[in-house]
Amino acid sequence: GVDCGADSRMCCRQEFFVDFKEIGWEDWIIQPEGYHMNYCAGLCPLHMAGIPGLAASFHTAVLNRIKVASAAAAVDSCCVPTQRRPLSLLYYDRDSNIIKTDIPDMIVDSCGCT
Amino acid sequence: AAKGAWCPACGAAAPAPGTQRDALLALAKQSILAKLRLPARPGVPQPPSRGALLTALRRMRAQRSDTAAATPGMLRDGRLLTLLSVLCAGFSSSHRVHLHFRFSQEVTGSTEILQATLYLFWAAPGAQPITVRLLQPDPAGSNMTVASETQLEVQRSGWTTLDVGAAVRSLFRQETPRLTVELEVPEDWGSPLPSDHSDSHWPFVVAQAQARTPHRVHRR
């Protein structure tokens, strides 16, 4: 996967960190101190379709040429998460019980084009 | 979309950075609450300091792994609860330190205490022992009476534990479930009280309790 830079236009992973103290949630969420709500952003031109990130290899180069040549089969390709991991939370519930929960698929680790 | 560009999906102009950040923060809140199935963020009356709580949780886990090994026959059917009460108030005069620990009433009415342990952290213990008194409200008046008195020897700095099971058990039969511990400390000892809110060595009580099974009435 590719991480977005300042002027990235192609499909990449944009990092975004939510500090629980900043949103006033540090009193009921004990751990962690924030949430990496990364997201996918950028364009998916035809030659990047179907590639989970820029796999710079001979095979990719060949595939690209075939796709460009067959531009007639233009298809919408979207920049979406291709790797995600859980968010583990330790928090108080309404009755002041201390709960530990692992919420699946909450943190985006890499993005790619459909 | 990049700054000043248009959004490829809906064609709208890219929002100003501030607006975009607020929207993402709102999305983060909504996403977490939805996944936890909470209608709104819970309110926590007086949460203990995070450092103190994490230290207590780590000590509890260490104790639970020892206890499980020592008493393999412990309840495994999910009715076993672990209650944690971190110091809610503490006052010290020249030789005496008073520690107060609260338990919520919903819990005291529905559980039976199996065991309870008081954890105290001493940074600089002295040679002589200290006197630990467990106080409970005097039914006749507003004073406190001594439920039990123990001599506690501390050989080295660190955490020290004391069994307070009997005191907590009797506490759970009272109106205001609050455990008061009085420590008589020689001159050369440091105080077990945390120096400030960021200090993570707050005294705390861990109790193992069993949820009371509902009273079943069999009719013939």
Side-chain angles (χ1 to χ4, degrees), chain B residues 108-109 111 136 166-177 212:
Chain B
T108 55
T111 55
Q136 60 186 18
V168 174
R169 218 168 278 126
S170 75
L171 191 76
F172 270 39
R173 292 189 286 270
Q174 287 167 22
E175 197 62 32
T176 50
R212 278 204 193 100

Side-chain angles (χ1 to χ4, degrees), chain A residues 16 22 24 27 30-31 37, chain B residues 21 24 41-42 48 50 53-54:
Chain A
F16 185 80
E22 179 187 348
D27 57 340
I30 303 162
Q31 283 277 335
M37 194 178 79
Chain B
R21 179 167 182 79
L24 287 169
R41 54 143 292 166
R50 179 195 291 253
L53 182 65
L54 292 174

Side-chain angles (χ1 to χ4, degrees), chain A residues 16-18 20 22-33 35 37 39 43 87 89-94 96 98 101 103 106, chain B residues 2-3 5 8 20-21 24-25 27-33 35-36 38-39 41-45 47-48 50 53-54 57-58 84:
Chain A
F16 185 80
F17 181 71
V18 178
F20 289 141
E22 179 187 348
I23 61 175
W25 275 18
E26 81 284 6
D27 57 340
W28 72 282
I29 295 183
I30 303 162
Q31 283 277 335
E33 303 200 349
Y35 166 35
M37 194 178 79
Y39 57 90
L43 305 176
L87 166 65
L89 282 180
L90 191 69
Y91 65 96
Y92 291 103
D93 70 2
R94 280 179 295 240
S96 295
I98 296 175
T101 299
I103 311 175
M106 283 287 274
Chain B
K3 276 188 288 298
Q20 187 169 349
R21 179 167 182 79
L24 287 169
L25 291 180
L27 180 62
K29 289 181 184 178
Q30 176 201 335
S31 167
I32 290 176
L33 290 179
K35 294 287 174 61
L36 297 181
L38 292 173
R41 54 143 292 166
V44 185
R50 179 195 291 253
L53 182 65
L54 292 174
L57 288 172
R58 285 189 197 99
L84 169 62

